[in-house]
Amino acid sequence: MRRTTTLFKMVAAVALMGLFLSACGQTATKASTGGKLAVGVVLPTKDEPRWIQDQARFNDAFTAAGYDVTILFSQGSSATEKLNVEALISKGVKVLIICPQDASAAAAAADEARAANIKVVSYDRLIRDTASVDYYVTFDSFAVGAAWSTYMIQQAGSTTGNNLYLYAGAASDNNAFIFFEGAWETIQPKIADGTFVIKNSSEAVAVKDLPKLTRDQEAKIIGQITTNWDFATAKKLAQDNLTAAAAADKGTVYIIAPNDGTARAIADAFGADKDVTKYFISGQDAEVASLQYIIDGKQSMTVLKDVRTLVADAIAAAQAYLQGQTPPQTTTYNNGKIDVPAKPSAIVTVTTANFYSAVIKSGYWPTSYFSHLDTVGDYAP
Ligand code: BGC
Protein backbone atom coordinates (compact mmCIF):
# COMPACT_ATOMS: atom_id res chain seq x y z
CA MET A 1 0.00 0.00 0.00
CA ARG A 2 2.94 2.31 0.58
CA ARG A 3 4.97 3.91 -2.06
CA THR A 4 8.30 2.23 -2.49
CA THR A 5 9.55 4.52 -5.18
CA THR A 6 12.33 7.07 -5.05
CA LEU A 7 12.10 10.63 -6.24
CA PHE A 8 14.67 9.81 -8.88
CA LYS A 9 12.55 7.01 -10.28
CA MET A 10 9.52 9.27 -10.33
CA VAL A 11 11.33 12.04 -12.16
CA ALA A 12 12.65 9.50 -14.65
CA ALA A 13 9.17 8.12 -15.11
CA VAL A 14 7.73 11.58 -15.74
CA ALA A 15 10.41 12.20 -18.35
CA LEU A 16 9.68 8.84 -19.95
CA MET A 17 6.00 9.64 -19.98
CA GLY A 18 6.71 12.79 -21.93
CA LEU A 19 8.69 10.78 -24.47
CA PHE A 20 5.96 8.18 -24.57
CA LEU A 21 3.26 10.74 -25.23
CA SER A 22 5.12 12.43 -28.02
CA ALA A 23 6.18 9.09 -29.51
CA CYS A 24 2.72 7.54 -29.56
CA GLY A 25 0.82 10.68 -30.38
CA GLN A 26 -2.93 10.72 -30.24
CA THR A 27 -3.93 10.73 -33.87
CA ALA A 28 -4.20 6.98 -34.31
CA THR A 29 -6.86 6.69 -31.68
CA LYS A 30 -8.54 9.89 -32.75
CA ALA A 31 -8.73 8.79 -36.39
CA SER A 32 -9.98 5.34 -35.54
CA THR A 33 -12.72 6.65 -33.27
CA GLY A 34 -13.75 9.76 -35.20
CA GLY A 35 -12.83 12.19 -32.42
CA LYS A 36 -14.37 10.04 -29.71
CA LEU A 37 -11.85 8.48 -27.41
CA ALA A 38 -13.23 5.15 -26.20
CA VAL A 39 -12.76 6.24 -22.61
CA GLY A 40 -15.30 7.03 -19.91
CA VAL A 41 -14.70 8.80 -16.61
CA VAL A 42 -16.65 8.30 -13.39
CA LEU A 43 -16.06 10.74 -10.51
CA PRO A 44 -17.47 10.52 -6.97
CA THR A 45 -19.42 13.74 -6.46
CA LYS A 46 -20.08 17.23 -7.78
CA ASP A 47 -20.54 18.48 -4.23
CA GLU A 48 -16.85 18.87 -3.44
CA PRO A 49 -14.63 21.40 -5.26
CA ARG A 50 -11.91 18.76 -5.56
CA TRP A 51 -13.89 16.69 -8.11
CA ILE A 52 -15.11 19.75 -9.99
CA GLN A 53 -11.40 20.53 -10.41
CA ASP A 54 -10.87 17.07 -11.88
CA GLN A 55 -13.85 17.43 -14.20
CA ALA A 56 -12.60 20.79 -15.48
CA ARG A 57 -9.04 19.54 -15.92
CA PHE A 58 -10.27 16.38 -17.74
CA ASN A 59 -12.39 18.52 -20.06
CA ASP A 60 -9.43 20.84 -20.73
CA ALA A 61 -7.10 17.94 -21.49
CA PHE A 62 -9.54 16.02 -23.67
CA THR A 63 -10.55 19.16 -25.57
CA ALA A 64 -6.91 20.11 -26.13
CA ALA A 65 -6.30 16.64 -27.54
CA GLY A 66 -9.37 16.96 -29.76
CA TYR A 67 -11.53 14.33 -28.10
CA ASP A 68 -15.00 14.17 -26.60
CA VAL A 69 -15.29 12.50 -23.25
CA THR A 70 -18.15 11.39 -21.07
CA ILE A 71 -17.70 12.28 -17.39
CA LEU A 72 -20.35 10.92 -15.03
CA PHE A 73 -20.76 11.71 -11.33
CA SER A 74 -21.87 9.17 -8.73
CA GLN A 75 -23.14 11.79 -6.29
CA GLY A 76 -21.97 9.89 -3.25
CA SER A 77 -23.84 6.72 -4.19
CA SER A 78 -22.22 3.40 -5.07
CA ALA A 79 -25.48 2.35 -6.74
CA THR A 80 -25.37 5.38 -9.05
CA GLU A 81 -21.70 4.67 -9.65
CA LYS A 82 -22.54 1.14 -10.82
CA LEU A 83 -25.26 2.46 -13.13
CA ASN A 84 -22.76 4.97 -14.51
CA VAL A 85 -20.27 2.21 -15.22
CA GLU A 86 -22.98 0.12 -16.88
CA ALA A 87 -23.97 3.11 -19.04
CA LEU A 88 -20.36 3.47 -20.16
CA ILE A 89 -20.09 -0.26 -20.85
CA SER A 90 -23.15 -0.08 -23.13
CA LYS A 91 -21.66 2.98 -24.79
CA GLY A 92 -18.73 0.80 -25.81
CA VAL A 93 -15.86 2.39 -23.88
CA LYS A 94 -12.64 0.40 -23.92
CA VAL A 95 -11.08 2.07 -20.89
CA LEU A 96 -12.85 3.08 -17.69
CA ILE A 97 -11.26 5.77 -15.51
CA ILE A 98 -13.02 5.58 -12.18
CA CYS A 99 -12.61 7.26 -8.82
CA PRO A 100 -14.63 5.09 -6.44
CA GLN A 101 -17.11 6.56 -4.02
CA ASP A 102 -16.59 3.55 -1.76
CA ALA A 103 -13.42 1.48 -2.30
CA SER A 104 -14.93 -1.96 -1.73
CA ALA A 105 -18.41 -1.32 -3.10
CA ALA A 106 -16.85 -0.31 -6.42
CA ALA A 107 -15.38 -3.81 -6.84
CA ALA A 108 -18.62 -5.08 -8.41
CA ALA A 109 -18.61 -2.30 -11.02
CA ALA A 110 -14.94 -2.99 -11.79
CA ASP A 111 -15.75 -6.70 -12.18
CA GLU A 112 -18.52 -5.87 -14.66
CA ALA A 113 -16.16 -3.71 -16.69
CA ARG A 114 -13.49 -6.42 -16.66
CA ALA A 115 -16.07 -8.98 -17.82
CA ALA A 116 -16.83 -6.67 -20.75
CA ASN A 117 -13.12 -6.65 -21.62
CA ILE A 118 -12.64 -3.04 -20.52
CA LYS A 119 -9.43 -1.83 -18.89
CA VAL A 120 -10.09 -0.41 -15.44
CA VAL A 121 -7.99 2.54 -14.29
CA SER A 122 -8.54 3.39 -10.63
CA TYR A 123 -8.26 7.16 -10.42
CA ASP A 124 -6.95 8.91 -7.28
CA ARG A 125 -8.70 6.42 -4.97
CA LEU A 126 -7.92 2.70 -5.12
CA ILE A 127 -10.73 0.21 -5.74
CA ARG A 128 -10.32 -2.53 -3.16
CA ASP A 129 -11.01 -6.25 -2.85
CA THR A 130 -11.05 -7.19 -6.52
CA ALA A 131 -8.58 -8.40 -9.12
CA SER A 132 -10.37 -6.32 -11.78
CA VAL A 133 -8.16 -3.23 -11.52
CA ASP A 134 -5.53 -2.82 -14.22
CA TYR A 135 -3.79 0.36 -13.10
CA TYR A 136 -3.84 2.98 -10.36
CA VAL A 137 -3.29 6.64 -11.22
CA THR A 138 -2.49 8.42 -7.98
CA PHE A 139 -0.54 11.00 -6.08
CA ASP A 140 1.87 9.94 -3.39
CA SER A 141 -0.76 9.88 -0.67
CA PHE A 142 1.65 8.73 2.03
CA ALA A 143 3.63 11.91 1.31
CA VAL A 144 0.45 13.98 1.74
CA GLY A 145 0.00 12.77 5.32
CA ALA A 146 3.72 13.09 5.98
CA ALA A 147 3.58 16.72 4.77
CA TRP A 148 0.92 17.57 7.36
CA SER A 149 2.98 16.15 10.20
CA THR A 150 6.23 17.66 8.96
CA TYR A 151 4.55 21.07 8.98
CA MET A 152 3.27 20.61 12.55
CA ILE A 153 6.67 19.40 13.76
CA GLN A 154 8.34 22.47 12.24
CA GLN A 155 5.86 24.81 13.93
CA ALA A 156 6.21 23.14 17.33
CA GLY A 157 10.01 23.39 17.20
CA SER A 158 11.52 22.46 20.53
CA THR A 159 8.40 23.09 22.62
CA THR A 160 6.75 20.16 24.40
CA GLY A 161 3.29 19.08 25.54
CA ASN A 162 1.57 20.59 22.50
CA ASN A 163 -2.14 19.87 22.04
CA LEU A 164 -2.73 17.71 18.96
CA TYR A 165 -6.11 17.05 17.37
CA LEU A 166 -6.39 14.42 14.65
CA TYR A 167 -9.03 14.19 11.94
CA ALA A 168 -9.35 11.75 9.05
CA GLY A 169 -11.21 11.19 5.79
CA ALA A 170 -13.91 8.61 5.10
CA ALA A 171 -13.23 5.04 6.18
CA SER A 172 -14.70 3.89 2.85
CA ASP A 173 -11.85 5.69 1.04
CA ASN A 174 -8.55 3.81 0.92
CA ASN A 175 -6.75 7.15 0.69
CA ALA A 176 -7.95 8.07 4.17
CA PHE A 177 -5.81 5.18 5.46
CA ILE A 178 -2.74 6.08 3.41
CA PHE A 179 -2.94 9.77 4.40
CA PHE A 180 -3.30 8.78 8.04
CA GLU A 181 -0.43 6.32 7.77
CA GLY A 182 1.85 9.01 6.35
CA ALA A 183 0.79 11.44 9.07
CA TRP A 184 1.15 8.89 11.87
CA GLU A 185 4.53 7.51 10.89
CA THR A 186 5.92 11.04 10.64
CA ILE A 187 4.49 12.49 13.85
CA GLN A 188 4.56 9.42 16.09
CA PRO A 189 8.21 9.90 17.16
CA LYS A 190 7.22 13.41 18.24
CA ILE A 191 4.32 12.03 20.25
CA ALA A 192 6.67 9.48 21.82
CA ASP A 193 9.15 12.21 22.82
CA GLY A 194 6.46 14.44 24.36
CA THR A 195 6.39 17.18 21.71
CA PHE A 196 2.71 16.47 21.01
CA VAL A 197 -0.12 15.07 23.13
CA ILE A 198 -3.17 13.64 21.34
CA LYS A 199 -6.35 15.22 22.69
CA ASN A 200 -9.26 13.75 20.75
CA SER A 201 -8.78 10.02 20.14
CA SER A 202 -8.48 7.40 22.90
CA GLU A 203 -7.77 4.80 20.19
CA ALA A 204 -4.77 6.82 18.98
CA VAL A 205 -3.58 7.38 22.54
CA ALA A 206 -3.77 3.62 23.13
CA VAL A 207 -1.22 2.95 20.36
CA LYS A 208 0.87 6.10 20.76
CA ASP A 209 4.09 4.13 21.27
CA LEU A 210 3.79 2.22 18.00
CA PRO A 211 5.72 3.71 15.05
CA LYS A 212 3.67 1.71 12.54
CA LEU A 213 0.05 0.65 12.80
CA THR A 214 -1.90 -2.22 11.30
CA ARG A 215 -4.89 -1.45 9.10
CA ASP A 216 -7.14 -2.59 11.94
CA GLN A 217 -5.50 -0.19 14.39
CA GLU A 218 -5.84 2.60 11.84
CA ALA A 219 -9.48 1.69 11.27
CA LYS A 220 -10.20 2.00 14.99
CA ILE A 221 -8.65 5.46 15.14
CA ILE A 222 -10.29 6.59 11.90
CA GLY A 223 -13.60 5.36 13.34
CA GLN A 224 -13.21 7.96 16.11
CA ILE A 225 -11.89 10.86 14.07
CA THR A 226 -13.56 10.47 10.69
CA THR A 227 -15.06 13.48 8.96
CA ASN A 228 -16.50 11.19 6.30
CA TRP A 229 -15.11 13.88 3.95
CA ASP A 230 -18.16 15.91 4.91
CA PHE A 231 -17.91 19.55 6.05
CA ALA A 232 -20.88 19.42 8.43
CA THR A 233 -19.65 16.18 10.01
CA ALA A 234 -16.19 17.69 10.38
CA LYS A 235 -17.50 20.83 12.05
CA LYS A 236 -19.76 18.90 14.43
CA LEU A 237 -16.94 16.53 15.40
CA ALA A 238 -14.58 19.46 16.06
CA GLN A 239 -17.24 21.18 18.15
CA ASP A 240 -17.87 17.98 20.13
CA ASN A 241 -14.13 17.57 20.71
CA LEU A 242 -13.90 21.17 21.92
CA THR A 243 -16.85 20.72 24.23
CA ALA A 244 -15.22 17.64 25.75
CA ALA A 245 -11.79 19.30 26.08
CA ALA A 246 -10.66 21.22 29.17
CA ALA A 247 -9.33 24.77 28.76
CA ALA A 248 -5.80 23.39 29.24
CA ASP A 249 -6.30 21.18 26.16
CA LYS A 250 -6.86 24.31 24.09
CA GLY A 251 -4.65 27.43 24.03
CA THR A 252 -2.33 26.79 21.10
CA VAL A 253 -3.47 23.73 19.16
CA TYR A 254 -2.12 21.69 16.27
CA ILE A 255 -4.77 20.17 14.03
CA ILE A 256 -4.26 17.51 11.39
CA ALA A 257 -7.22 18.07 9.06
CA PRO A 258 -7.51 15.68 6.11
CA ASN A 259 -8.52 18.00 3.26
CA ASP A 260 -9.36 21.61 2.52
CA GLY A 261 -13.13 21.44 2.85
CA THR A 262 -12.99 19.75 6.22
CA ALA A 263 -10.06 21.97 7.27
CA ARG A 264 -12.14 25.10 6.77
CA ALA A 265 -15.02 23.59 8.74
CA ILE A 266 -12.73 22.48 11.58
CA ALA A 267 -10.82 25.79 11.52
CA ASP A 268 -14.10 27.68 11.86
CA ALA A 269 -15.00 25.59 14.92
CA PHE A 270 -11.61 26.06 16.60
CA GLY A 271 -11.51 29.73 15.63
CA ALA A 272 -14.85 30.28 17.38
CA ASP A 273 -13.69 28.75 20.69
CA LYS A 274 -12.63 31.47 23.14
CA ASP A 275 -10.10 29.18 24.83
CA VAL A 276 -8.26 28.52 21.57
CA THR A 277 -5.68 31.28 21.30
CA LYS A 278 -3.83 30.01 18.23
CA TYR A 279 -4.23 27.07 15.89
CA PHE A 280 -2.19 25.44 13.17
CA ILE A 281 -4.20 23.37 10.69
CA SER A 282 -3.37 21.27 7.65
CA GLY A 283 -5.36 20.54 4.50
CA GLN A 284 -5.03 19.29 0.95
CA ASP A 285 -6.28 19.97 -2.57
CA ALA A 286 -5.27 23.63 -2.98
CA GLU A 287 -8.91 24.64 -3.20
CA VAL A 288 -9.38 28.32 -3.95
CA ALA A 289 -11.39 28.89 -0.74
CA SER A 290 -8.64 27.31 1.37
CA LEU A 291 -5.89 29.18 -0.41
CA GLN A 292 -7.77 32.37 0.50
CA TYR A 293 -7.97 31.05 4.09
CA ILE A 294 -4.19 30.66 3.98
CA ILE A 295 -3.73 34.24 2.75
CA ASP A 296 -6.11 35.39 5.50
CA GLY A 297 -4.32 33.40 8.21
CA LYS A 298 -7.23 31.04 8.87
CA GLN A 299 -5.62 27.87 7.46
CA SER A 300 -1.91 27.14 7.81
CA MET A 301 -1.07 24.96 4.84
CA THR A 302 -2.51 22.89 2.07
CA VAL A 303 -1.08 20.17 -0.12
CA LEU A 304 -1.21 20.92 -3.81
CA LYS A 305 -1.86 17.78 -5.78
CA ASP A 306 -1.59 19.03 -9.35
CA VAL A 307 -4.71 17.54 -10.90
CA ARG A 308 -3.38 18.40 -14.35
CA THR A 309 -0.68 15.76 -13.82
CA LEU A 310 -3.16 13.15 -12.64
CA VAL A 311 -5.44 13.77 -15.59
CA ALA A 312 -2.51 13.58 -18.01
CA ASP A 313 -1.39 10.30 -16.41
CA ALA A 314 -4.92 8.87 -16.65
CA ILE A 315 -5.28 9.84 -20.31
CA ALA A 316 -1.81 8.51 -21.11
CA ALA A 317 -2.70 5.21 -19.41
CA ALA A 318 -5.91 4.99 -21.44
CA GLN A 319 -4.02 5.70 -24.64
CA ALA A 320 -1.43 3.07 -23.80
CA TYR A 321 -4.16 0.48 -23.33
CA LEU A 322 -5.94 1.52 -26.52
CA GLN A 323 -2.69 0.95 -28.37
CA GLY A 324 -2.12 -2.44 -26.81
CA GLN A 325 0.58 -1.17 -24.48
CA THR A 326 0.99 -0.98 -20.72
CA PRO A 327 1.27 2.31 -18.80
CA PRO A 328 4.44 3.04 -16.81
CA GLN A 329 4.83 1.56 -13.35
CA THR A 330 7.14 2.63 -10.54
CA THR A 331 5.47 0.80 -7.67
CA THR A 332 2.39 -1.19 -6.68
CA TYR A 333 -0.42 -0.69 -4.18
CA ASN A 334 -2.09 -3.68 -2.60
CA ASN A 335 -5.85 -3.45 -2.79
CA GLY A 336 -6.58 -6.37 -0.46
CA LYS A 337 -6.61 -8.78 -3.39
CA ILE A 338 -3.82 -7.89 -5.82
CA ASP A 339 -0.86 -5.55 -6.17
CA VAL A 340 -2.03 -2.86 -8.57
CA PRO A 341 0.65 -1.22 -10.75
CA ALA A 342 0.97 2.54 -10.26
CA LYS A 343 3.13 5.57 -10.87
CA PRO A 344 2.42 7.97 -8.01
CA SER A 345 2.92 11.70 -8.60
CA ALA A 346 4.71 14.11 -6.30
CA ILE A 347 2.88 16.59 -4.08
CA VAL A 348 3.75 20.14 -2.93
CA THR A 349 3.20 21.75 0.47
CA VAL A 350 1.78 25.28 0.12
CA THR A 351 2.06 27.94 2.83
CA THR A 352 2.22 31.73 2.62
CA ALA A 353 5.99 31.32 2.10
CA ASN A 354 5.77 29.65 -1.34
CA PHE A 355 2.20 30.58 -2.32
CA TYR A 356 2.99 32.75 -5.30
CA SER A 357 5.35 30.33 -6.99
CA ALA A 358 3.38 27.17 -6.17
CA VAL A 359 -0.10 28.44 -7.01
CA ILE A 360 0.22 31.40 -9.38
CA LYS A 361 3.48 30.96 -11.25
CA SER A 362 2.76 27.27 -11.76
CA GLY A 363 -0.40 28.32 -13.59
CA TYR A 364 -2.57 26.34 -11.20
CA TRP A 365 -4.99 29.19 -10.39
CA PRO A 366 -5.15 32.72 -11.79
CA THR A 367 -4.33 35.82 -9.74
CA SER A 368 -7.89 37.09 -10.08
CA TYR A 369 -9.23 34.34 -7.81
CA PHE A 370 -7.56 35.83 -4.73
CA SER A 371 -7.62 38.97 -2.68
CA HIS A 372 -4.66 40.36 -0.68
CA LEU A 373 -2.33 38.20 -2.76
CA ASP A 374 0.36 40.83 -2.28
CA THR A 375 0.64 39.77 1.38
CA VAL A 376 2.07 36.32 0.61
CA GLY A 377 5.72 35.86 1.45
CA ASP A 378 7.02 35.22 -2.07
CA TYR A 379 4.80 37.74 -3.90
CA ALA A 380 6.63 38.53 -7.15
CA PRO A 381 4.30 39.50 -10.00
C1 BGC B 1 -8.84 12.67 -2.36
C2 BGC B 1 -8.78 14.07 -1.80
C3 BGC B 1 -10.18 14.57 -1.51
C4 BGC B 1 -10.95 13.56 -0.69
C5 BGC B 1 -12.39 13.95 -0.48
C6 BGC B 1 -9.60 11.80 -1.42
O1 BGC B 1 -9.65 10.48 -1.89
O2 BGC B 1 -7.55 12.17 -2.59
O3 BGC B 1 -8.11 14.91 -2.71
O4 BGC B 1 -10.14 15.78 -0.83
O5 BGC B 1 -10.92 12.29 -1.28
O6 BGC B 1 -13.09 13.94 -1.65
Side-chain angles (χ1 to χ4, degrees):
M1 190 200 296
R2 288 199 34 192
R3 67 178 185 348
T4 50
T5 185
T6 62
L7 185 62
F8 172 77
K9 278 187 193 160
M10 287 173 61
V11 169
V14 168
L16 270 178
M17 172 66 85
L19 284 177
F20 166 78
L21 275 175
S22 48
C24 299
Q26 295 157 337
T27 37
T29 320
K30 192 163 22 177
S32 63
T33 57
K36 297 227 183 292
L37 197 57
V39 176
V41 180
V42 179
L43 296 175
T45 178
K46 270 187 180 169
D47 297 338
E48 291 174 36
R50 162 67 214 267
W51 306 113
I52 299 291
Q53 268 197 55
D54 293 69
Q55 178 193 33
R57 310 281 191 192
F58 263 118
N59 279 327
D60 289 352
F62 277 113
T63 306
Y67 297 117
D68 288 340
V69 66
T70 307
I71 304 178
L72 302 174
F73 283 91
S74 309
Q75 291 311 100
S77 154
S78 296
T80 306
E81 179 178 84
K82 195 147 175 287
L83 291 174
N84 284 341
V85 170
E86 285 162 1
L88 292 171
I89 294 174
S90 0
K91 241 185 137 189
V93 301
K94 297 277 176 278
V95 181
L96 172 67
I97 298 172
I98 172 170
C99 180
Q101 168 59 33
D102 175 306
S104 299
D111 291 346
E112 270 193 62
R114 168 68 64 85
N117 216 12
I118 292 168
K119 293 289 185 191
V120 177
V121 176
S122 207
Y123 178 81
D124 192 273
R125 298 177 178 170
L126 187 58
I127 300 174
R128 288 186 59 84
D129 306 321
T130 174
S132 304
V133 184
D134 292 286
Y135 191 60
Y136 182 30
V137 170
T138 182
F139 291 104
D140 184 344
S141 295
F142 184 92
V144 172
W148 301 334
S149 293
T150 299
Y151 177 85
M152 299 304 158
I153 292 166
Q154 282 165 353
Q155 299 311 311
S158 55
T159 59
T160 56
N162 293 294
N163 299 320
L164 179 66
Y165 290 79
L166 303 172
Y167 296 95
S172 59
D173 178 359
N174 193 58
N175 282 348
F177 285 80
I178 311 182
F179 298 144
F180 185 79
E181 193 173 85
W184 182 266
E185 292 184 18
T186 308
I187 209 158
Q188 188 276 336
K190 292 292 182 181
I191 294 169
D193 78 1
T195 303
F196 293 104
V197 183
I198 302 164
K199 293 294 172 181
N200 68 329
S201 168
S202 55
E203 294 289 356
V205 169
V207 294
K208 70 179 170 41
D209 296 324
L210 304 180
K212 283 181 192 287
L213 302 178
T214 64
R215 195 172 172 97
D216 282 350
Q217 287 166 333
E218 288 169 358
K220 280 190 182 148
I221 300 171
I222 291 172
Q224 279 187 329
I225 60 168
T226 182
T227 60
N228 211 20
W229 293 133
D230 176 65
F231 314 156
T233 306
K235 189 163 189 178
K236 165 91 171 54
L237 180 60
Q239 284 167 340
D240 290 351
N241 290 163
L242 285 163
T243 304
D249 299 329
K250 299 180 186 177
T252 297
V253 299
Y254 296 77
I255 311 162
I256 301 258
N259 76 349
D260 281 350
T262 58
R264 295 194 302 279
I266 295 166
D268 290 348
F270 276 80
D273 190 299
K274 64 173 177 21
D275 294 323
V276 173
T277 47
K278 188 177 171 76
Y279 65 82
F280 297 95
I281 188 164
S282 64
Q284 75 166 305
D285 292 335
E287 286 181 12
V288 172
S290 274
L291 290 165
Q292 189 62 52
Y293 259 47
I294 291 177
I295 295 176
D296 297 341
K298 297 197 286 186
Q299 185 174 325
S300 316
M301 61 88 86
T302 187
V303 175
L304 192 158
K305 305 194 300 186
D306 193 326
V307 173
R308 295 170 300 185
T309 307
L310 208 62
V311 159
D313 286 354
I315 295 176
Q319 288 179 319
Y321 284 128
L322 290 170
Q323 301 185 5
Q325 292 159 355
T326 309
Q329 168 187 345
T330 54
T331 187
T332 59
Y333 287 76
N334 189 275
N335 78 344
K337 194 92 173 205
I338 55 165
D339 288 330
V340 183
K343 184 188 80 70
S345 293
I347 53 96
V348 178
T349 297
V350 181
T351 65
T352 51
N354 67 340
F355 192 112
Y356 202 82
S357 67
V359 177
I360 307 294
K361 282 201 181 139
S362 68
Y364 203 67
W365 296 124
T367 311
S368 60
Y369 284 17
F370 304 102
S371 48
H372 309 298
L373 195 52
D374 56 344
T375 61
V376 302
D378 65 338
Y379 183 67

